[in-house]
């Protein structure tokens, strides 16, 4: 494979594509709503109507508006149909020839769509993720070619650094800096790992990227491999994402077939292979050192850092670990330049971010927005607000994050601002809660999660989460006192400060943030608030006797 | 003149009590192991309530210092402990059963009181097998044996199974002169 | 697998699951599994593909679970021997991950997603309804071996919350009565 | 109108208990009941523990006589191992039991019961205690305290600590006797003898004077008596066989082995007490009432086997006949036993073998079921274990000294209540006498309940339909 | 080998590069409590007792695995650390079933010692009372999971020194326990050489010699040190 062949494939693919494409989502969400039947229905209808020469039906990746699936979109006129039933397929096809349909037509001018800015999801929902040719047709793998032939590894690292891209897995560590660190480490053998263990409940951005545009991830990893001097990459995907695994596997095979992965990519000296490792149901494996343990075939127990994986990672070798979304940004940065990328977002948080907008909100789904947009814009404009009632809080960052009260909806969405209000970006889960949501229960829910997902290696996390959970339960049962509440808060800080890895360090966040913003919800459940029974009789305490010092206490 | 003697001369006596919840009485026995120091203690305290040292049946008001032995295992324990807390200035959790629930709490591993009752009165009886039940007389067992501080606030913790007489003395003696004992180090806070 | 509860280790606590030690001894003597079960062949292929590297343990366990439905002791022994791993390490790994099961699951499986989005939209009620109907708790299988009920932390189908996976197929926007209707079809 | 009087808690006993006295419409006592109000459940929660830990765990049944449990448990352990322990180990174990009998009896007599005798049944309840005794008769109090201290310190010398010394173990004991320890014991013996003689003569004088009547009202009734006796029928506290004697001095059963205890002992339950009611099986429940402890041990034995104690025993039998049947005599028999213990300690401490360091035998598990017995201060104690092949406890049964006396204690307080309570008239002193009836037995309720109070004394007027008409708190 | 200089609780220490803060503290005569650390086997940083404060970083770092650096200023006993250590020990006591009074290790238990060291006279967290088992199937030893604090010293000593890898950790979170073989009775694990190193490594009374009664457990720590010296330095000195 060389540059010309790549262009030829792209050209050939484009020439083969029909002028009208009916895109039907085949990602997990829509599949669950029976989109495969819709897809088949559309194909049959096209055949029936004998439109096969100018119309094709394509099973595509995620369009984002998951709550309204199955979604069907007509390209190029951009008509969108929502909640399509298989028996509506024929009438939708008939609209191409002037017919009418009873299918619900979506409003593509709605802020949910119009406010988005798509970098990573640029092609999601527009191409068939199971065909590499479609990816190549939209310019895929050109960035890889570009780095191999026009840039030195150092230049690539520099470009990424200049773009201002930060880790999309939650921590927000500058990606370029991480790459530079691994690139500088001595050693023949280095590894690239893609963290696809998206474990935060309420987050499915990475699943969508892997399902909808798997090559984007592979290309980003290959570029990273070139930049840091690694020839072997692993994608660690959680087993709960079978479709993502299947599509990544297909994508790797196809890329290998075209010489876009494997030995001497684009006939250059650069070799890069990618293997998939499948998780087995352990949230903690999203933590990078635990993930490495898991790839090595062990229990997902994190280990103390330093040394960081960049210094000593997989099998003790320098290892670059980034999240799916991070890698999915790489090709765009290489193609369009660091300056272009850095022009998006805020001063410290560049580019776009995908969020999974869920919970008590009218428009559920995936959105990609420029950094710096406010929570209010996302929740009220794009999300359309809470169906009946008002927003109470928005939870970001999953079990590691916090609950941001409605009064702070004007907070801009960027790493620093979210941190400042006691939450975090996390991987991009954004769960909206309305006035009916009990915030203590929410804290308890997350603590239940953490107590179940702690690996058990270090004591604060292993038992601290169990104790916190029972303290929350005690509060919810109206059995707790103010002293219990204080003890709980003290334990939160202890678990936060002494746990070995990020899971424990962030496990108390949902409690602390709800305590901070919704203290009355805790206080009104305390025993004193329910029935005032002071444990000590305030009067008649003093005995007849003994030293004043003691009794004065 | 030592400080203790001096204190006696200048201060009225401390109202002193001991209480025994679910435990083996070993802590009380260790208290009695103070031996002749008890005679000295008697000069500084009025024992106003104690299973080994007083015949009064009702826990009085205005108690200055109370040693509470044992965990909280049944309704009577609970009721008495709440009363003790309300009427006592300095409550001392006395011995491992009070501090940790200790051996009586081994039944907590069985997940409730049912199994131990069943074993004792149904399996291991020859005649008239039944569970003791007489409301107001025979207190119901609580589901879980608890250390004292899980039920009421505690001022001083004196672990040990039992705490030695030396430890008991070192805890009580400062109190007699109005000082808080220093509960530190192997001699004062070792469990077991 | 069930959410970890502090009492969860009761059944699996050491001494609880006595293993016939002779199995290990018998197994060691022979290269091929004595039962002649063809599924062990598949395990061999997987192990060979990974060059019998100990690092491949999780991959091999995935394969084993796929072939056998669950990880019986015999299989764990076989894998340990094949990858030259200590038994305790294999057991430690197999029990660390929720997706590996050391007990056979029911003929049908029902996984209720308890991710945040699903939780906020009432998946707890769905689970409760199923538990009541089936007379089991999450993580258990009905006495007749028909249905295993489990929960998931998040299956990433938040857009269609609450989601339930019936026999491997995700179903969205499931209300308690929908869930009951679905399991009704199995009986 | 019928009413119930509740004494709650019973004080100056080792444990948690209440007494109810039921009065009939005429204000006469119908019945009295002794309620043990706590239960801990050792027989269940010991399951699954290694049998080697049982001594340590069961010692925690009781802080007063932990040694009894240590011994019974170690003896049961010996049988599981099927070992014969080294002779020195047996002597040391005996020595510890003697020390315990001494300290426990001293406690019962001086600390708990003597305030009644010396300060008076009707004296101020606020002062009627050991501290009151200290104020009233400091010399006697000090002597009593030091006698108990002698026993406790001996236990410490042998076992390393005074309470819960986990020193007796299956196969023997953990540490031999030190030279310093031996010397200490020798040095303190004379003072202890002096104290017990003082107590004996004091008590005998009291019996002749102010405590004359109590003998007849504090539980004087016929019953069986059970205790260990040696090969020749002599007093025994550590090994030997079980003997039952009736009130006429007839030996009802003899040379019974503890291994067969289930054949001759049954246990009944009453809903109003956590303490079960053991009975002599051949006579059935409740006819098979028997008493254990010092009174019973002196009744079942032919002689003690030491000079001074046998002399006292003779005088005692001269006073009350061969078989005294009043529960009040427990106090007297307790003092005689202290004397016997001291004499036996004297023998043992001077035994040429006593300082041998061969004190522990080792073996594997050779029996899966075993029963151990010892004489606790309050009576005979049985430990019965079933273990699995690895030595983990599968089943435990414990029959505790105080339990044996349960039927007798109920009968005793009923008799006292009938004697002293008349015409609905109740005084504190009357109630104290009823409690004292229980104190005769020196019940160890921590033990008896393996399971263990204190609540206000209150008198309830209860109508025949059960409604409470009046609550009178003191 | 270059030497790094640093201060620990204000004391100047010089130690060779690559040494841990724990080693440096030992050199300086500063006692830092530990439980999962065992000389001679790898460190895992799990018990969190040896966390220290280092000037310039907000994170508390485990002294047992953190290497010294030039100019490092380490504080090992600040009020915050004291409070956290005490809570850590309280959590350890609350999660298992530690009945010191009847434990074979009573009086010779590192957990008990640490409790005294950090001034823990009671735990403020409710005891969990988990239902755990005892395995006495081995002819010479027993393991009582009630007393296990999951320090994994036994796992490491068996794997790294004896090379038998009888032990590992099973399950996860609060359900974790030390497992022998394929969750089988210890006595039936063929890999076990009955060397007893796990008994000596165990800081509590969880692994003990059969027949030991309350307070009788003794630990031959010198044996482990001897083996480590022999292995690392090829010196067979005892």
């Amino acid at each position: 494979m060389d540059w010309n062949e790549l262009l030829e494939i792209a050209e050939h693919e484009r020439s083969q594509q029909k002028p009208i494409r009916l895109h039907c989502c085949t990602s997990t969400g829509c599949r669950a709503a029976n989109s495969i039947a819709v897809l088949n229905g559309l194909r049959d209808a096209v055949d029936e109507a004998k439109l096969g020469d100018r119309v094709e039906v394509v099973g595509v990746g995620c369009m984002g508006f998951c709550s309204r699936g199955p979604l069907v979109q007509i390209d190029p006129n951009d008509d969108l149909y929502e909640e399509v039933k298989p028996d509506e397929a024929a009438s939708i096809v008939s609209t191409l020839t002037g017919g009418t349909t009873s299918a619900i037509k979506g409003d593509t001018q709605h802020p949910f769509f119009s406010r988005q800015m798509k970098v990573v999801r640029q092609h999601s929902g527009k191409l068939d993720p199971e065909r590499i040719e479609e990816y190549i047709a939209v310019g895929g793998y050109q960035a890889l070619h570009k780095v191999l032939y026009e840039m030195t590894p150092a230049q690539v690292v520099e470009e990424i650094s200049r773009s201002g891209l930060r880790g999309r897995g939650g921590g927000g560590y500058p990606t370029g800096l991480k790459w530079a660190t691994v690139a500088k480490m001595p050693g023949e053998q280095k590894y690239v790992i893609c963290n696809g263990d998206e474990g935060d409940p309420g987050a499915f951005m990475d699943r969508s990227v892997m399902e909808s545009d798997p090559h984007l991830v592979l290309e980003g990893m290959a570029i990273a491999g070139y930049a840091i001097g690694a020839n072997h990459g692993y994608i660690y995907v959680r087993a709960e994402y079978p479709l993502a695994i299947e599509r990544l596997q297909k994508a790797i095979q196809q890329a290998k077939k075209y010489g876009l992965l494997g030995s001497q990519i684009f006939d250059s000296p650069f070799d890069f292979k990618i293997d998939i490792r499948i998780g087995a149901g352990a949230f903690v494996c999203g933590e990078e050192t635990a993930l490495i343990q898991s790839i090595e075939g062990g229990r997902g127990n994190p280990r103390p850092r330093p040394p960081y994986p960049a210094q000593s990672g997989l099998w003790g070798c320098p290892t670059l670990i980034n999240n799916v979304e991070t890698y999915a940004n790489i090709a765009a940065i290489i193609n369009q330049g660091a300056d272009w990328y850095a022009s998006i977002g805020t001063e410290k948080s560049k580019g776009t971010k995908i969020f999974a907008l869920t919970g008590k909100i009218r428009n559920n789904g995936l959105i990609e927005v420029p950094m710096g947009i406010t929570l209010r814009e996302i929740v009220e404009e794009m999300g359309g607000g809470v169906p009946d009632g008002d927003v109470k809080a928005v939870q970001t960052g999953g079990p590691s994050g916090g609950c941001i009260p409605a009064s702070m909806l004007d907070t801009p969405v960027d790493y620093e601002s979210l941190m400042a209000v006691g939450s975090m970006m996390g991987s991009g889960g954004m769960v909206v809660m309305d006035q009916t949501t009990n915030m203590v229960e929410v804290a308890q829910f997350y603590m239940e999660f953490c107590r179940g997902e702690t690996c058990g290696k270090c004591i604060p996390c292993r038992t601290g989460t169990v104790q916190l959970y029972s303290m929350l339960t005690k509060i919810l049962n109206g059995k707790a006192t103010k002293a219990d509440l204080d003890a709980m808060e003290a334990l939160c800080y202890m678990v936060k400060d002494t746990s070995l890895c990020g899971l424990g360090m962030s496990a108390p966040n949902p409690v602390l943030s709800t305590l901070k913003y919704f203290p009355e919800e805790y206080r009104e459940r305390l025993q004193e608030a329910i029935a005032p029974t002071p444990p000590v009789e305030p009067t008649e305490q003093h005995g007849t006797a003994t030293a004043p010092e003691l009794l004065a206490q | 003149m030592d400080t203790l003697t001096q204190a006696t001369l200048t201060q009225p006596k401390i109202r002193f009590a001991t209480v025994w919840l679910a435990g083996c009485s070993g802590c009380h026995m260790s208290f009695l192991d103070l031996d002749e120091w008890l005679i000295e203690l008697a000069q500084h305290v009025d024992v106003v309530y104690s299973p080994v040292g007083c015949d009064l049946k009702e826990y009085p008001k205005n108690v200055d210092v109370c040693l509470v032995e044992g965990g909280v295992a049944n309704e009577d324990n609970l009721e008495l402990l709440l009363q003790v807390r309300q009427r006592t200035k300095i409550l001392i959790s006395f011995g491992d059963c009070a501090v940790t629930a200790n051996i009586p709490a081994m039944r907590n591993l069985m997940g409730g009181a049912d199994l131990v009752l069943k074993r004792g009165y149904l399996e291991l009886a020859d005649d008239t097998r039944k569970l003791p039940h007489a409301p107001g007389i025979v207190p119901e067992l609580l589901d879980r044996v608890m250390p004292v501080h899980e039920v009421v606030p505690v001022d001083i913790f004196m672990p040990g199974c039992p705490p030695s007489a030396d430890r008991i003395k070192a805890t009580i003696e400062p109190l007699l002169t109005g000082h808080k004992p220093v509960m530190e180090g192997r001699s004062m806070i070792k469990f077991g | 697998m069930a959410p970890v509860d502090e009492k969860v280790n009761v059944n699996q606590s050491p001494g609880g699951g006595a293993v016939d030690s002779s199995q290990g001894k018998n197994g060691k003597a022979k290269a091929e599994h004595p039962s002649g079960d063809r599924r062990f062949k598949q395990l061999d292929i997987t192990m060979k593909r990974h060059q019998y590297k100990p690092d491949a343990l999780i991959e091999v366990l995935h394969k084993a679970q796929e072939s056998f439905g669950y990880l019986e002791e015999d299989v764990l022994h076989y894998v340990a021997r094949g990858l030259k791993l200590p038994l305790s390490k294999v057991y430690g790994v197999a029990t660390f991950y929720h997706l590996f099961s050391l007990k056979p699951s029911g003929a049908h499986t029902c996984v209720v997603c308890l991710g945040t989005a699903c939780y906020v939209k009432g998946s707890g009620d769905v689970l409760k309804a199923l538990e009541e109907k089936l007379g089991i708790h999450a993580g258990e299988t009905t006495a007749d071996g028909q249905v295993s009920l489990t929960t998931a932390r998040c299956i990433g189908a938040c857009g269609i919350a609450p989601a339930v996976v019936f026999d491997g197929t995700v179903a969205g926007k499931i209300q308690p009565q929908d869930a009951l209707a679905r399991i009704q079809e199995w009986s | 109108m019928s009413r119930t009087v509740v004494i709650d808690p019973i004080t100056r006993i080792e444990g948690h208990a209440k007494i109810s006295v039921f009065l009939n419409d005429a204000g006469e006592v119908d019945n009295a009941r002794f309620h043990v109000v706590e239960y801990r459940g050792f027989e269940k929660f010991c399951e699954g523990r290694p049998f080697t830990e049982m001594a340590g765990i069961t010692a925690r049944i009781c802080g007063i006589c932990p040694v009894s449990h240590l011994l019974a448990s170690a003896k049961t352990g010996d049988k599981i191992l099927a070992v014969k322990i080294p002779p020195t180990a047996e002597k040391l174990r005996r020595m510890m039991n003697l020390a315990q009998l001494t300290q426990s009896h001293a406690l019962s007599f001086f600390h708990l019961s003597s305030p009644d005798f010396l300060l008076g049944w009707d004296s101020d309840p606020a002062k009627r205690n050991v501290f009151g005794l200290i104020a009233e008769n400091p010399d006697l109090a000090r002597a009593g305290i030091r006698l108990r201290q002698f026993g406790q310190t001996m236990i410490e010398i042998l076992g390393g600590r005074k309470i819960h010394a986990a020193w007796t173990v299956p196969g023997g004991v953990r540490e031999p006797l030190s030279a310093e320890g031996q010397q200490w014991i020798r040095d303190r013996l004379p003072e202890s003898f002096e104290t017990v003689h003082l107590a004996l003569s004091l008590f005998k004088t009291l019996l002749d004077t102010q405590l004359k009547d109590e003998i007849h009202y504090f539980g004087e009734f016929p019953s069986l008596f059970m205790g260990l006796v040696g090969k020749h029928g002599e007093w025994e506290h550590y090994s030997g066989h079980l003997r039952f004697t009736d009130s006429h001095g007839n030996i009802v059963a003899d040379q019974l082995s503890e291994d067969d205890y289930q054949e001759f002992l049954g246990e009944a339950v009453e809903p109003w007490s956590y303490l079960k009611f053991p009975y002599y099986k051949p006579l059935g429940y409740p006819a098979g009432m028997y008493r254990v402890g010092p009174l019973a041990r002196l009744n079942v034995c032919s002689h003690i086997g030491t000079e001074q104690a046998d002399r006292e025993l003779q005088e005692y039998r001269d006073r009350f006949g061969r078989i005294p049947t009043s529960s009040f005599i427990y106090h007297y028999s307790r003092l005689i036993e202290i004397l016997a213990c001291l004499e036996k300690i004297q023998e043992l401490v001077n035994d040429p073998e006593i300082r041998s360091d061969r004190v522990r035998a080792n073996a594997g598990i050779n029996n899966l079921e075993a029963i151990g017995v010892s004489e606790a201060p309050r009576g005979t104690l049985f430990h019965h274990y079933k273990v699995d092949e690895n030595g983990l406890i599968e089943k435990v049964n414990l029959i505790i000294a105080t339990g044996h006396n349960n039927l007798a204690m109920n009968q005793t307080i009923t008799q006292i209540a009938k004697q002293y309570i008349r015409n609905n008239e109740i005084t504190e002193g009357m109630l104290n006498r009823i409690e004292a009836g229980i104190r005769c037995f020196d019940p160890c309720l921590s033990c008896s309940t393996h399971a263990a109070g204190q609540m206000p004394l209150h008198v309830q007027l209860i109508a025949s339909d059960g409604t409470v008409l009046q609550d009178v708190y003191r | 080998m270059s030497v790094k200089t640093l201060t620990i609780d204000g004391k100047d220490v010089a130690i060779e590069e690559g040494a841990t803060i724990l080693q440096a503290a030992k050199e300086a005569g500063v006692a830092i409590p530990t439980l999962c650390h065992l000389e001679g086997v790898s460190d895992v940083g799990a018990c969190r007792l040896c966390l220290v404060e280092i000037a310039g970083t907000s994170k508390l770092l485990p002294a047992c695995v953190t290497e010294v650096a030039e100019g490092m200023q380490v504080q090992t006993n600040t009020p915050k650390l004291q409070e956290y250590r005490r809570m850590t020990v309280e959590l350890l006591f609350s999660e298992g079933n530690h009945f010191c009074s009847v434990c074979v290790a009573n009086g010779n238990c590192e957990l008990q010692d640490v409790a005294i060291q950090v001034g823990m006279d009671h735990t403020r967290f409710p005891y969990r009372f988990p239902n755990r088992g005892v395995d006495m199937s081995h002819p010479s030893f027993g393991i009582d999971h009630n007393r296990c604090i999951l320090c994994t010293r036994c796992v490491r000593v068996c794997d790294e020194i004896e090379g038998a890898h009888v032990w590992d950790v099973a399950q996860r979170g609060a359900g974790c326990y030390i497992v022998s073989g394929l969750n089988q009775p210890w006595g039936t694990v063929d890999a076990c050489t009955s060397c007893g190193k796990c008994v000596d490594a165990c800081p509590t009374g969880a692994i003990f010699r059969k027949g030991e009664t309350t307070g009788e457990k003794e630990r031959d720590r010198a044996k482990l040190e001897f083996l480590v010296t022999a292995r690392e330095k090829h010196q067979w000195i005892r």
Side-chain angles (χ1 to χ4, degrees), chain C residues 140-157:
Chain C
E140 296 173 353
T141 301
T142 50
D144 60 2
Q146 275 302 298
V147 184
S148 287
L149 179 64
T150 55
T151 60
R153 292 301 184 189
C154 179
I155 57 169

Side-chain angles (χ1 to χ4, degrees), chain D residues 54-344:
Chain D
M54 287 302 282
I57 296 174
T58 56
R60 266 76 186 178
I61 288 174
C62 175
I64 303 144
C65 52
V67 171
S68 316
H69 292 282
L70 287 166
L71 286 175
S73 183
K75 285 180 72 179
T76 315
D78 297 342
K79 284 186 175 176
I80 289 172
L81 300 176
V83 292
K84 187 164 165 32
I85 69 170
T88 303
E90 182 180 327
K91 285 174 184 163
L92 289 171
R93 282 186 185 177
R94 281 177 173 275
M95 213 156 133
M96 189 181 253
N97 202 28
L98 294 165
Q100 162 178 251
L101 287 162
T102 304
Q103 70 83 12
S104 175
H105 283 356
L107 171 72
S108 167
F109 186 81
F110 291 97
H111 298 62
L112 304 180
S113 286
S114 71
D116 288 332
F117 315 145
L118 299 169
L119 307 175
W121 302 111
D122 301 295
S123 61
D124 178 5
K127 301 222 167 89
R128 196 176 56 211
N129 56 45
V130 67
F131 294 96
L133 186 71
I134 288 169
E136 190 75 17
N137 193 342
D139 290 343
L140 184 74
R142 187 183 298 271
I145 285 171
R146 284 179 63 85
L147 181 59
R148 175 171 179 273
Q149 184 189 43
F150 171 69
Q152 287 288 80
T153 308
M154 259 186 79
I155 292 169
E156 188 179 23
I157 284 169
L158 291 165
R161 56 196 295 183
K162 287 179 171 163
I163 297 160
H164 304 328
W167 166 79
T168 59
V169 291
V173 301
R174 270 162 43 169
E175 297 289 334
L177 174 63
S178 69
E180 305 77 49
Q182 185 183 33
Q183 195 51 46
W184 188 93
I185 296 166
R186 282 182 182 143
D187 291 348
R188 271 291 280 269
L189 268 169
E191 181 191 332
S192 303
F193 273 113
E194 213 170 288
T195 303
V196 71
H197 282 301
L198 175 77
L200 268 167
S201 73
L202 174 74
F203 194 71
K204 282 186 272 190
T205 314
L206 290 172
L207 280 180
D208 291 338
T209 54
Q210 64 199 69
L211 297 177
K212 229 175 182 165
D213 295 342
E214 279 77 357
I215 298 171
H216 304 298
Y217 305 127
F218 277 54
E220 181 162 51
F221 49 80
S223 74
L224 297 180
F225 297 91
M226 180 183 82
L228 286 176
V229 291
K231 252 185 226 143
H232 310 293
E234 74 277 17
W235 185 83
E236 180 53 76
H237 64 98
Y238 172 80
S239 59
H241 286 87
L242 288 155
R243 174 182 281 181
F244 281 86
T245 302
D246 69 12
S247 325
H248 306 291
N250 303 316
I251 294 173
V252 175
D254 201 8
Q255 295 297 309
L256 298 170
S257 162
E258 69 267 19
D259 293 340
D260 305 321
Y261 81 96
Q262 285 168 316
E263 279 165 30
F264 54 86
L265 295 182
E267 286 188 278
V269 182
E270 293 290 355
W272 40 267
S273 181
Y274 279 125
L275 182 56
K276 282 181 281 189
F277 295 79
Y279 57 96
Y280 180 60
K281 256 189 185 169
L283 295 185
Y285 177 78
M289 173 173 72
Y290 59 96
R291 282 179 270 189
V292 298
L295 177 73
R297 284 194 291 260
L298 295 193
N299 281 350
V300 297
C301 77
S302 57
H303 63 292
I304 290 174
T306 61
E307 189 199 333
Q308 297 179 39
D310 269 328
R311 205 160 49 230
E312 287 292 339
L313 181 65
Q314 197 49 54
E315 183 187 340
Y316 165 96
R317 286 180 177 167
D318 290 346
R319 277 171 178 263
F320 309 110
R322 172 66 181 84
I323 305 289
T325 56
S326 166
S327 302
F328 197 68
I329 304 301
Y330 267 103
H331 296 299
Y332 193 170
S333 54
R334 209 165 273 133
L335 293 173
I336 295 175
E337 280 202 337
I338 299 178
L339 185 58
C341 290
L342 295 177
E343 287 181 289
K344 287 188 182 271

Side-chain angles (χ1 to χ4, degrees), chain A residues 82 90 96 111 120 262 288 302 342 384 401 411 417 429 433 475 482-483 487 503 519 524 549:
Chain A
E82 301 171 357
L96 300 173
V120 171
E288 55 186 26
T411 305
S417 304
M433 293 156 188
I475 292 168
K482 176 73 171 58
L503 195 160
E524 69 199 14
E549 191 186 327

Side-chain angles (χ1 to χ4, degrees), chain A residues 7 33 92 113 137 256 267 279 307 311 328 337 402 483 523:
Chain A
L7 294 184
I92 289 173
F113 298 104
K256 273 207 291 215
D267 302 326
Q311 302 158 285
R523 270 192 235 119

Side-chain angles (χ1 to χ4, degrees), chain A residues 474 534-537 539-553, chain B residues 11-15 61-62 64 85-86 88-90 153 175-180:
Chain A
K474 194 174 175 189
V536 181
E537 271 179 17
T539 55
E540 295 186 296
Q541 269 304 293
H542 298 264
T544 53
T546 197
E549 191 186 327
L550 188 63
L551 294 177
Q553 288 171 5
Chain B
Q11 287 157 10
K13 285 184 167 186
I14 283 179
R15 289 167 61 78
K61 291 186 175 171
N62 306 331
D64 292 313
R85 179 66 277 183
Q86 288 188 333
T88 311
K89 180 130 195 65
I90 296 172
L175 291 170
L176 301 178
T177 55
H179 297 95
K180 210 166 176 182

Side-chain angles (χ1 to χ4, degrees), chain A residues 6-18 21 56 58 127-128 131-138 258:
Chain A
L6 188 71
L7 294 184
E8 267 168 37
I9 295 167
E11 190 49 46
H12 179 255
E13 175 63 21
R14 280 194 292 270
S15 70
Q16 290 294 303
Q17 287 181 359
K18 307 286 160 39
R21 285 160 63 94
E56 65 180 328
V58 188
L127 49 82
D128 182 345
R131 292 188 62 241
I132 189 171
E133 294 81 4
E134 293 216 1
Y135 180 70
I136 292 172
V138 296
Y258 279 116

